[in-house]
Amino acid sequence: EVQLVESGGGLVQPGGSLRLSCAASGFTFSSYWMSWVRQAPGKGLEWVANIKQDGSEKYYVDSVKGRFTISRDNAKNSLYLQMNSLRAEDTAVYYCARVEFLDYMDVWGKGTTVTVSS
Amino acid sequence: AIRMTQSPSSLSASTGDRVTITCRASQGISSYLAWYQQKPGKAPKLLIYAASTLQSGVPSRFSGSGSGTDFTLTISCLQSEDFATYYCQQYYSYPHTFGQGTKLEIK
């Protein structure tokens, strides 16, 4: 079964850091671009970042550039999101998703919740 | 960034109705558009990609059309499980922006 499982969410103070992980199984992880998407409480979906199969290309939404870093470890079938200088507006459920070759997202994890608050 | 605007933002309908949701891009995106369904507390689910291609396993009552800047998602005969929020997303250029969502509610 194709599956993505996020972890690492929690409560963090403004200015703090958090690292999210996404464990992939049931498919050849190294063959796919991967993505992070977030959803603030009661709000819509926001694409956050994409990473190429070998990690050589990365793209970010402007609001997280310079603060968040997407990475992956193909040997561990894992995707990561390092989040630094966190702000209240980063509070959201963070989903990892598999990106199909045309760049749409066909498999999603259940999400992990990040709360930035003092 | 390309802005995606959905209409309506909310919609009330009854089981068996035919409903249409519209998504407009602020610039041309060819057919690089996907539609997702999200139910409360759940992850989004891919319904349609490339504007009109039905994802495997998605019921045929869902259909998509359009290209360029104007797109539609149609549900031909609403079922109880279709009441959810629907999002369009462009993947023509980064950032891959979503529409604000359309909440489909039971009348």
mmCIF file of all heavy atoms in Angstrom, chain B residues 18-68:
data_model
loop_
_atom_site.group_PDB
_atom_site.id
_atom_site.type_symbol
_atom_site.label_atom_id
_atom_site.label_comp_id
_atom_site.label_asym_id
_atom_site.label_seq_id
_atom_site.Cartn_x
_atom_site.Cartn_y
_atom_site.Cartn_z
ATOM 1 N N ARG B 18 -27.011 18.333 -10.031
ATOM 2 C CA ARG B 18 -25.803 18.538 -10.825
ATOM 3 C C ARG B 18 -25.226 19.877 -10.408
ATOM 4 O O ARG B 18 -25.951 20.880 -10.352
ATOM 5 C CB ARG B 18 -26.152 18.578 -12.315
ATOM 6 C CG ARG B 18 -24.994 18.848 -13.241
ATOM 7 C CD ARG B 18 -25.515 19.012 -14.670
ATOM 8 N NE ARG B 18 -24.480 19.307 -15.636
ATOM 9 C CZ ARG B 18 -23.835 18.378 -16.339
ATOM 10 N NH1 ARG B 18 -24.132 17.097 -16.172
ATOM 11 N NH2 ARG B 18 -22.912 18.729 -17.210
ATOM 12 N N VAL B 19 -23.940 19.892 -10.054
ATOM 13 C CA VAL B 19 -23.321 21.134 -9.602
ATOM 14 C C VAL B 19 -22.054 21.397 -10.402
ATOM 15 O O VAL B 19 -21.375 20.468 -10.848
ATOM 16 C CB VAL B 19 -23.009 21.118 -8.092
ATOM 17 C CG1 VAL B 19 -24.281 20.963 -7.279
ATOM 18 C CG2 VAL B 19 -22.011 20.054 -7.755
ATOM 19 N N THR B 20 -21.750 22.689 -10.536
ATOM 20 C CA THR B 20 -20.548 23.105 -11.254
ATOM 21 C C THR B 20 -19.797 24.134 -10.423
ATOM 22 O O THR B 20 -20.394 25.086 -9.898
ATOM 23 C CB THR B 20 -20.897 23.703 -12.619
ATOM 24 O OG1 THR B 20 -21.523 22.691 -13.422
ATOM 25 C CG2 THR B 20 -19.645 24.190 -13.339
ATOM 26 N N ILE B 21 -18.514 23.934 -10.294
ATOM 27 C CA ILE B 21 -17.616 24.853 -9.600
ATOM 28 C C ILE B 21 -16.649 25.400 -10.630
ATOM 29 O O ILE B 21 -16.128 24.656 -11.469
ATOM 30 C CB ILE B 21 -16.864 24.127 -8.469
ATOM 31 C CG1 ILE B 21 -17.857 23.596 -7.424
ATOM 32 C CG2 ILE B 21 -15.843 25.050 -7.823
ATOM 33 C CD1 ILE B 21 -17.228 22.639 -6.424
ATOM 34 N N THR B 22 -16.406 26.698 -10.542
ATOM 35 C CA THR B 22 -15.545 27.364 -11.507
ATOM 36 C C THR B 22 -14.234 27.796 -10.865
ATOM 37 O O THR B 22 -14.207 28.177 -9.690
ATOM 38 C CB THR B 22 -16.266 28.589 -12.086
ATOM 39 O OG1 THR B 22 -17.424 28.158 -12.805
ATOM 40 C CG2 THR B 22 -15.359 29.366 -13.020
ATOM 41 N N CYS B 23 -13.170 27.708 -11.635
ATOM 42 C CA CYS B 23 -11.839 28.138 -11.190
ATOM 43 C C CYS B 23 -11.237 28.985 -12.301
ATOM 44 O O CYS B 23 -11.210 28.558 -13.461
ATOM 45 C CB CYS B 23 -10.990 26.915 -10.901
ATOM 46 S SG CYS B 23 -9.290 27.248 -10.383
ATOM 47 N N ARG B 24 -10.789 30.169 -11.941
ATOM 48 C CA ARG B 24 -10.205 31.066 -12.934
ATOM 49 C C ARG B 24 -8.769 31.410 -12.531
ATOM 50 O O ARG B 24 -8.508 31.775 -11.386
ATOM 51 C CB ARG B 24 -11.023 32.331 -13.058
ATOM 52 C CG ARG B 24 -10.426 33.393 -13.990
ATOM 53 C CD ARG B 24 -11.455 34.426 -14.371
ATOM 54 N NE ARG B 24 -12.437 33.865 -15.304
ATOM 55 C CZ ARG B 24 -13.510 34.550 -15.709
ATOM 56 N NH1 ARG B 24 -13.746 35.766 -15.266
ATOM 57 N NH2 ARG B 24 -14.358 33.998 -16.548
ATOM 58 N N ALA B 25 -7.866 31.301 -13.488
ATOM 59 C CA ALA B 25 -6.462 31.640 -13.258
ATOM 60 C C ALA B 25 -6.191 33.071 -13.715
ATOM 61 O O ALA B 25 -6.773 33.537 -14.710
ATOM 62 C CB ALA B 25 -5.561 30.677 -14.014
ATOM 63 N N SER B 26 -5.299 33.749 -13.027
ATOM 64 C CA SER B 26 -4.995 35.147 -13.352
ATOM 65 C C SER B 26 -4.167 35.280 -14.622
ATOM 66 O O SER B 26 -4.035 36.382 -15.160
ATOM 67 C CB SER B 26 -4.261 35.806 -12.174
ATOM 68 O OG SER B 26 -3.044 35.136 -11.899
ATOM 69 N N GLN B 27 -3.615 34.182 -15.104
ATOM 70 C CA GLN B 27 -2.953 34.140 -16.396
ATOM 71 C C GLN B 27 -3.072 32.725 -16.939
ATOM 72 O O GLN B 27 -3.432 31.805 -16.207
ATOM 73 C CB GLN B 27 -1.490 34.570 -16.291
ATOM 74 C CG GLN B 27 -0.623 33.667 -15.447
ATOM 75 C CD GLN B 27 0.780 34.228 -15.267
ATOM 76 O OE1 GLN B 27 0.997 35.170 -14.490
ATOM 77 N NE2 GLN B 27 1.735 33.655 -15.979
ATOM 78 N N GLY B 28 -2.785 32.555 -18.212
ATOM 79 C CA GLY B 28 -2.956 31.257 -18.828
ATOM 80 C C GLY B 28 -2.072 30.175 -18.219
ATOM 81 O O GLY B 28 -0.895 30.401 -17.958
ATOM 82 N N ILE B 29 -2.681 29.016 -17.985
ATOM 83 C CA ILE B 29 -1.948 27.890 -17.396
ATOM 84 C C ILE B 29 -2.102 26.616 -18.244
ATOM 85 O O ILE B 29 -1.893 25.507 -17.751
ATOM 86 C CB ILE B 29 -2.399 27.614 -15.942
ATOM 87 C CG1 ILE B 29 -3.887 27.281 -15.880
ATOM 88 C CG2 ILE B 29 -2.077 28.795 -15.025
ATOM 89 C CD1 ILE B 29 -4.329 26.744 -14.514
ATOM 90 N N SER B 30 -2.471 26.815 -19.509
ATOM 91 C CA SER B 30 -2.702 25.653 -20.379
ATOM 92 C C SER B 30 -3.685 24.707 -19.690
ATOM 93 O O SER B 30 -4.749 25.150 -19.262
ATOM 94 C CB SER B 30 -1.369 24.983 -20.713
ATOM 95 O OG SER B 30 -1.542 23.938 -21.632
ATOM 96 N N SER B 31 -3.323 23.453 -19.537
ATOM 97 C CA SER B 31 -4.199 22.494 -18.839
ATOM 98 C C SER B 31 -3.570 21.990 -17.553
ATOM 99 O O SER B 31 -3.923 20.909 -17.051
ATOM 100 C CB SER B 31 -4.529 21.308 -19.758
ATOM 101 O OG SER B 31 -5.279 21.727 -20.878
ATOM 102 N N TYR B 32 -2.654 22.772 -16.981
ATOM 103 C CA TYR B 32 -1.925 22.345 -15.792
ATOM 104 C C TYR B 32 -2.745 22.651 -14.536
ATOM 105 O O TYR B 32 -2.372 23.492 -13.698
ATOM 106 C CB TYR B 32 -0.559 23.006 -15.746
ATOM 107 C CG TYR B 32 0.370 22.526 -16.833
ATOM 108 C CD1 TYR B 32 0.517 23.257 -18.017
ATOM 109 C CD2 TYR B 32 1.091 21.345 -16.692
ATOM 110 C CE1 TYR B 32 1.354 22.820 -19.021
ATOM 111 C CE2 TYR B 32 1.934 20.899 -17.691
ATOM 112 C CZ TYR B 32 2.058 21.641 -18.859
ATOM 113 O OH TYR B 32 2.883 21.197 -19.864
ATOM 114 N N LEU B 33 -3.868 21.976 -14.430
ATOM 115 C CA LEU B 33 -4.785 22.225 -13.326
ATOM 116 C C LEU B 33 -5.266 20.915 -12.736
ATOM 117 O O LEU B 33 -5.592 19.977 -13.458
ATOM 118 C CB LEU B 33 -6.004 23.029 -13.813
ATOM 119 C CG LEU B 33 -6.928 23.398 -12.651
ATOM 120 C CD1 LEU B 33 -6.758 24.854 -12.260
ATOM 121 C CD2 LEU B 33 -8.365 23.070 -12.937
ATOM 122 N N ALA B 34 -5.314 20.877 -11.392
ATOM 123 C CA ALA B 34 -5.833 19.729 -10.668
ATOM 124 C C ALA B 34 -6.983 20.160 -9.772
ATOM 125 O O ALA B 34 -7.053 21.330 -9.353
ATOM 126 C CB ALA B 34 -4.735 19.085 -9.833
ATOM 127 N N TRP B 35 -7.853 19.213 -9.480
ATOM 128 C CA TRP B 35 -8.953 19.417 -8.535
ATOM 129 C C TRP B 35 -8.800 18.403 -7.392
ATOM 130 O O TRP B 35 -8.527 17.226 -7.631
ATOM 131 C CB TRP B 35 -10.311 19.198 -9.198
ATOM 132 C CG TRP B 35 -10.718 20.264 -10.167
ATOM 133 C CD1 TRP B 35 -10.579 20.254 -11.530
ATOM 134 C CD2 TRP B 35 -11.371 21.502 -9.849
ATOM 135 N NE1 TRP B 35 -11.097 21.410 -12.065
ATOM 136 C CE2 TRP B 35 -11.597 22.193 -11.060
ATOM 137 C CE3 TRP B 35 -11.801 22.108 -8.655
ATOM 138 C CZ2 TRP B 35 -12.223 23.443 -11.119
ATOM 139 C CZ3 TRP B 35 -12.421 23.341 -8.716
ATOM 140 C CH2 TRP B 35 -12.622 23.994 -9.934
ATOM 141 N N TYR B 36 -8.998 18.889 -6.170
ATOM 142 C CA TYR B 36 -8.913 18.049 -4.982
ATOM 143 C C TYR B 36 -10.197 18.189 -4.177
ATOM 144 O O TYR B 36 -10.820 19.248 -4.148
ATOM 145 C CB TYR B 36 -7.736 18.470 -4.095
ATOM 146 C CG TYR B 36 -6.392 18.408 -4.782
ATOM 147 C CD1 TYR B 36 -5.900 19.507 -5.477
ATOM 148 C CD2 TYR B 36 -5.616 17.256 -4.734
ATOM 149 C CE1 TYR B 36 -4.675 19.452 -6.108
ATOM 150 C CE2 TYR B 36 -4.381 17.200 -5.367
ATOM 151 C CZ TYR B 36 -3.924 18.306 -6.052
ATOM 152 O OH TYR B 36 -2.702 18.246 -6.685
ATOM 153 N N GLN B 37 -10.531 17.101 -3.486
ATOM 154 C CA GLN B 37 -11.653 17.084 -2.561
ATOM 155 C C GLN B 37 -11.098 16.915 -1.152
ATOM 156 O O GLN B 37 -10.204 16.100 -0.931
ATOM 157 C CB GLN B 37 -12.556 15.892 -2.892
ATOM 158 C CG GLN B 37 -13.724 15.701 -1.944
ATOM 159 C CD GLN B 37 -14.361 14.314 -2.123
ATOM 160 O OE1 GLN B 37 -13.749 13.295 -1.848
ATOM 161 N NE2 GLN B 37 -15.602 14.291 -2.599
ATOM 162 N N GLN B 38 -11.622 17.689 -0.212
ATOM 163 C CA GLN B 38 -11.198 17.535 1.176
ATOM 164 C C GLN B 38 -12.408 17.495 2.093
ATOM 165 O O GLN B 38 -13.267 18.369 2.050
ATOM 166 C CB GLN B 38 -10.268 18.671 1.604
ATOM 167 C CG GLN B 38 -9.669 18.439 2.990
ATOM 168 C CD GLN B 38 -8.739 19.549 3.437
ATOM 169 O OE1 GLN B 38 -8.945 20.719 3.130
ATOM 170 N NE2 GLN B 38 -7.697 19.191 4.175
ATOM 171 N N LYS B 39 -12.442 16.479 2.938
ATOM 172 C CA LYS B 39 -13.468 16.365 3.964
ATOM 173 C C LYS B 39 -12.887 16.794 5.304
ATOM 174 O O LYS B 39 -11.663 16.723 5.490
ATOM 175 C CB LYS B 39 -14.000 14.934 4.003
ATOM 176 C CG LYS B 39 -14.686 14.542 2.696
ATOM 177 C CD LYS B 39 -15.245 13.152 2.717
ATOM 178 C CE LYS B 39 -15.937 12.859 1.394
ATOM 179 N NZ LYS B 39 -16.496 11.494 1.334
ATOM 180 N N PRO B 40 -13.730 17.251 6.219
ATOM 181 C CA PRO B 40 -13.237 17.790 7.504
ATOM 182 C C PRO B 40 -12.312 16.824 8.235
ATOM 183 O O PRO B 40 -12.627 15.644 8.393
ATOM 184 C CB PRO B 40 -14.522 18.036 8.289
ATOM 185 C CG PRO B 40 -15.562 18.286 7.242
ATOM 186 C CD PRO B 40 -15.195 17.367 6.106
ATOM 187 N N GLY B 41 -11.147 17.331 8.636
ATOM 188 C CA GLY B 41 -10.193 16.547 9.386
ATOM 189 C C GLY B 41 -9.421 15.533 8.574
ATOM 190 O O GLY B 41 -8.663 14.734 9.146
ATOM 191 N N LYS B 42 -9.598 15.560 7.269
ATOM 192 C CA LYS B 42 -8.930 14.591 6.398
ATOM 193 C C LYS B 42 -7.990 15.286 5.427
ATOM 194 O O LYS B 42 -8.074 16.485 5.190
ATOM 195 C CB LYS B 42 -9.969 13.794 5.589
ATOM 196 C CG LYS B 42 -10.957 13.008 6.447
ATOM 197 C CD LYS B 42 -10.291 11.924 7.238
ATOM 198 C CE LYS B 42 -11.296 11.067 7.984
ATOM 199 N NZ LYS B 42 -10.624 10.035 8.822
ATOM 200 N N ALA B 43 -7.082 14.489 4.854
ATOM 201 C CA ALA B 43 -6.180 15.009 3.836
ATOM 202 C C ALA B 43 -6.930 15.213 2.527
ATOM 203 O O ALA B 43 -7.938 14.550 2.263
ATOM 204 C CB ALA B 43 -5.029 14.045 3.619
ATOM 205 N N PRO B 44 -6.462 16.118 1.705
ATOM 206 C CA PRO B 44 -7.050 16.264 0.376
ATOM 207 C C PRO B 44 -6.898 14.980 -0.431
ATOM 208 O O PRO B 44 -5.979 14.186 -0.213
ATOM 209 C CB PRO B 44 -6.249 17.405 -0.252
ATOM 210 C CG PRO B 44 -5.684 18.155 0.909
ATOM 211 C CD PRO B 44 -5.399 17.110 1.951
ATOM 212 N N LYS B 45 -7.816 14.835 -1.396
ATOM 213 C CA LYS B 45 -7.806 13.681 -2.303
ATOM 214 C C LYS B 45 -7.836 14.183 -3.725
ATOM 215 O O LYS B 45 -8.664 15.045 -4.063
ATOM 216 C CB LYS B 45 -9.038 12.815 -2.037
ATOM 217 C CG LYS B 45 -9.249 11.673 -3.022
ATOM 218 C CD LYS B 45 -10.591 11.002 -2.775
ATOM 219 C CE LYS B 45 -10.900 9.948 -3.823
ATOM 220 N NZ LYS B 45 -12.236 9.338 -3.625
ATOM 221 N N LEU B 46 -6.938 13.685 -4.546
ATOM 222 C CA LEU B 46 -6.897 14.086 -5.950
ATOM 223 C C LEU B 46 -8.095 13.520 -6.701
ATOM 224 O O LEU B 46 -8.364 12.324 -6.652
ATOM 225 C CB LEU B 46 -5.608 13.582 -6.597
ATOM 226 C CG LEU B 46 -5.454 13.828 -8.096
ATOM 227 C CD1 LEU B 46 -5.319 15.335 -8.384
ATOM 228 C CD2 LEU B 46 -4.247 13.061 -8.638
ATOM 229 N N LEU B 47 -8.799 14.410 -7.403
ATOM 230 C CA LEU B 47 -9.935 13.983 -8.230
ATOM 231 C C LEU B 47 -9.591 13.993 -9.716
ATOM 232 O O LEU B 47 -9.872 13.045 -10.439
ATOM 233 C CB LEU B 47 -11.126 14.919 -8.018
ATOM 234 C CG LEU B 47 -11.745 15.013 -6.638
ATOM 235 C CD1 LEU B 47 -12.845 16.075 -6.638
ATOM 236 C CD2 LEU B 47 -12.288 13.660 -6.199
ATOM 237 N N ILE B 48 -9.030 15.108 -10.167
ATOM 238 C CA ILE B 48 -8.806 15.350 -11.591
ATOM 239 C C ILE B 48 -7.464 16.032 -11.770
ATOM 240 O O ILE B 48 -7.083 16.889 -10.969
ATOM 241 C CB ILE B 48 -9.948 16.225 -12.163
ATOM 242 C CG1 ILE B 48 -11.213 15.388 -12.301
ATOM 243 C CG2 ILE B 48 -9.562 16.847 -13.502
ATOM 244 C CD1 ILE B 48 -12.463 16.191 -12.587
ATOM 245 N N TYR B 49 -6.727 15.654 -12.810
ATOM 246 C CA TYR B 49 -5.492 16.340 -13.173
ATOM 247 C C TYR B 49 -5.516 16.637 -14.665
ATOM 248 O O TYR B 49 -6.361 16.130 -15.403
ATOM 249 C CB TYR B 49 -4.259 15.505 -12.774
ATOM 250 C CG TYR B 49 -4.171 14.154 -13.453
ATOM 251 C CD1 TYR B 49 -3.488 13.989 -14.651
ATOM 252 C CD2 TYR B 49 -4.775 13.042 -12.882
ATOM 253 C CE1 TYR B 49 -3.416 12.748 -15.271
ATOM 254 C CE2 TYR B 49 -4.702 11.800 -13.484
ATOM 255 C CZ TYR B 49 -4.029 11.659 -14.670
ATOM 256 O OH TYR B 49 -3.959 10.424 -15.275
ATOM 257 N N ALA B 50 -4.576 17.453 -15.074
ATOM 258 C CA ALA B 50 -4.535 17.900 -16.480
ATOM 259 C C ALA B 50 -5.907 18.434 -16.917
ATOM 260 O O ALA B 50 -6.343 18.192 -18.050
ATOM 261 C CB ALA B 50 -4.053 16.780 -17.394
ATOM 262 N N ALA B 51 -6.559 19.100 -16.011
ATOM 263 C CA ALA B 51 -7.845 19.787 -16.210
ATOM 264 C C ALA B 51 -9.039 18.863 -16.408
ATOM 265 O O ALA B 51 -10.150 19.202 -15.975
ATOM 266 C CB ALA B 51 -7.760 20.781 -17.370
ATOM 267 N N SER B 52 -8.829 17.699 -17.047
ATOM 268 C CA SER B 52 -9.985 16.877 -17.389
ATOM 269 C C SER B 52 -9.772 15.378 -17.234
ATOM 270 O O SER B 52 -10.674 14.595 -17.557
ATOM 271 C CB SER B 52 -10.419 17.163 -18.833
ATOM 272 O OG SER B 52 -9.366 16.851 -19.725
ATOM 273 N N THR B 53 -8.620 14.966 -16.754
ATOM 274 C CA THR B 53 -8.327 13.540 -16.622
ATOM 275 C C THR B 53 -8.710 13.053 -15.226
ATOM 276 O O THR B 53 -8.200 13.570 -14.221
ATOM 277 C CB THR B 53 -6.848 13.252 -16.884
ATOM 278 O OG1 THR B 53 -6.492 13.714 -18.187
ATOM 279 C CG2 THR B 53 -6.576 11.748 -16.784
ATOM 280 N N LEU B 54 -9.584 12.075 -15.194
ATOM 281 C CA LEU B 54 -10.075 11.549 -13.922
ATOM 282 C C LEU B 54 -9.006 10.654 -13.292
ATOM 283 O O LEU B 54 -8.474 9.743 -13.938
ATOM 284 C CB LEU B 54 -11.354 10.761 -14.172
ATOM 285 C CG LEU B 54 -12.321 10.545 -13.025
ATOM 286 C CD1 LEU B 54 -12.903 11.867 -12.548
ATOM 287 C CD2 LEU B 54 -13.445 9.609 -13.462
ATOM 288 N N GLN B 55 -8.704 10.913 -12.031
ATOM 289 C CA GLN B 55 -7.759 10.062 -11.307
ATOM 290 C C GLN B 55 -8.370 8.672 -11.141
ATOM 291 O O GLN B 55 -9.591 8.519 -10.971
ATOM 292 C CB GLN B 55 -7.442 10.687 -9.950
ATOM 293 C CG GLN B 55 -6.633 9.826 -8.980
ATOM 294 C CD GLN B 55 -5.199 9.602 -9.401
ATOM 295 O OE1 GLN B 55 -4.803 9.916 -10.521
ATOM 296 N NE2 GLN B 55 -4.391 9.067 -8.498
ATOM 297 N N SER B 56 -7.518 7.666 -11.183
ATOM 298 C CA SER B 56 -7.972 6.292 -11.023
ATOM 299 C C SER B 56 -8.771 6.116 -9.732
ATOM 300 O O SER B 56 -8.377 6.601 -8.670
ATOM 301 C CB SER B 56 -6.756 5.360 -11.008
ATOM 302 O OG SER B 56 -7.141 4.033 -10.745
ATOM 303 N N GLY B 57 -9.911 5.449 -9.857
ATOM 304 C CA GLY B 57 -10.734 5.176 -8.687
ATOM 305 C C GLY B 57 -11.758 6.241 -8.363
ATOM 306 O O GLY B 57 -12.626 6.027 -7.498
ATOM 307 N N VAL B 58 -11.703 7.374 -9.042
ATOM 308 C CA VAL B 58 -12.659 8.458 -8.785
ATOM 309 C C VAL B 58 -13.921 8.206 -9.617
ATOM 310 O O VAL B 58 -13.830 7.900 -10.810
ATOM 311 C CB VAL B 58 -12.045 9.825 -9.144
ATOM 312 C CG1 VAL B 58 -13.095 10.940 -9.026
ATOM 313 C CG2 VAL B 58 -10.857 10.110 -8.232
ATOM 314 N N PRO B 59 -15.095 8.318 -9.014
ATOM 315 C CA PRO B 59 -16.342 8.030 -9.743
ATOM 316 C C PRO B 59 -16.513 8.909 -10.976
ATOM 317 O O PRO B 59 -16.117 10.073 -10.985
ATOM 318 C CB PRO B 59 -17.431 8.337 -8.710
ATOM 319 C CG PRO B 59 -16.762 8.190 -7.391
ATOM 320 C CD PRO B 59 -15.357 8.628 -7.590
ATOM 321 N N SER B 60 -17.140 8.343 -11.989
ATOM 322 C CA SER B 60 -17.295 9.037 -13.265
ATOM 323 C C SER B 60 -18.289 10.192 -13.209
ATOM 324 O O SER B 60 -18.410 10.942 -14.180
ATOM 325 C CB SER B 60 -17.714 8.043 -14.349
ATOM 326 O OG SER B 60 -18.932 7.418 -13.987
ATOM 327 N N ARG B 61 -18.996 10.345 -12.095
ATOM 328 C CA ARG B 61 -19.888 11.516 -11.982
ATOM 329 C C ARG B 61 -19.084 12.817 -11.851
ATOM 330 O O ARG B 61 -19.624 13.903 -12.010
ATOM 331 C CB ARG B 61 -20.857 11.375 -10.807
ATOM 332 C CG ARG B 61 -20.212 11.275 -9.448
ATOM 333 C CD ARG B 61 -21.286 11.120 -8.357
ATOM 334 N NE ARG B 61 -20.702 11.024 -7.016
ATOM 335 C CZ ARG B 61 -20.300 9.886 -6.470
ATOM 336 N NH1 ARG B 61 -20.408 8.753 -7.136
ATOM 337 N NH2 ARG B 61 -19.778 9.890 -5.248
ATOM 338 N N PHE B 62 -17.784 12.700 -11.551
ATOM 339 C CA PHE B 62 -16.908 13.864 -11.511
ATOM 340 C C PHE B 62 -16.309 14.087 -12.903
ATOM 341 O O PHE B 62 -15.852 13.141 -13.543
ATOM 342 C CB PHE B 62 -15.768 13.670 -10.505
ATOM 343 C CG PHE B 62 -16.207 13.670 -9.070
ATOM 344 C CD1 PHE B 62 -16.555 12.481 -8.445
ATOM 345 C CD2 PHE B 62 -16.272 14.852 -8.342
ATOM 346 C CE1 PHE B 62 -16.969 12.472 -7.123
ATOM 347 C CE2 PHE B 62 -16.686 14.853 -7.016
ATOM 348 C CZ PHE B 62 -17.035 13.659 -6.409
ATOM 349 N N SER B 63 -16.301 15.333 -13.335
ATOM 350 C CA SER B 63 -15.659 15.652 -14.599
ATOM 351 C C SER B 63 -15.076 17.052 -14.535
ATOM 352 O O SER B 63 -15.554 17.906 -13.775
ATOM 353 C CB SER B 63 -16.627 15.528 -15.773
ATOM 354 O OG SER B 63 -17.681 16.470 -15.655
ATOM 355 N N GLY B 64 -14.041 17.272 -15.326
ATOM 356 C CA GLY B 64 -13.406 18.576 -15.385
ATOM 357 C C GLY B 64 -13.237 19.023 -16.817
ATOM 358 O O GLY B 64 -13.143 18.203 -17.732
ATOM 359 N N SER B 65 -13.220 20.330 -17.000
ATOM 360 C CA SER B 65 -13.029 20.868 -18.338
ATOM 361 C C SER B 65 -12.333 22.215 -18.247
ATOM 362 O O SER B 65 -12.223 22.808 -17.168
ATOM 363 C CB SER B 65 -14.362 21.012 -19.061
ATOM 364 O OG SER B 65 -15.173 21.982 -18.440
ATOM 365 N N GLY B 66 -11.896 22.679 -19.424
ATOM 366 C CA GLY B 66 -11.284 23.996 -19.498
ATOM 367 C C GLY B 66 -9.827 23.943 -19.895
ATOM 368 O O GLY B 66 -9.179 22.899 -19.843
ATOM 369 N N SER B 67 -9.327 25.102 -20.277
ATOM 370 C CA SER B 67 -7.910 25.285 -20.557
ATOM 371 C C SER B 67 -7.642 26.777 -20.623
ATOM 372 O O SER B 67 -8.585 27.568 -20.807
ATOM 373 C CB SER B 67 -7.479 24.600 -21.855
ATOM 374 O OG SER B 67 -8.075 25.230 -22.954
ATOM 375 N N GLY B 68 -6.383 27.142 -20.475
ATOM 376 C CA GLY B 68 -6.059 28.558 -20.485
ATOM 377 C C GLY B 68 -6.285 29.196 -19.129
ATOM 378 O O GLY B 68 -5.476 29.027 -18.227
#
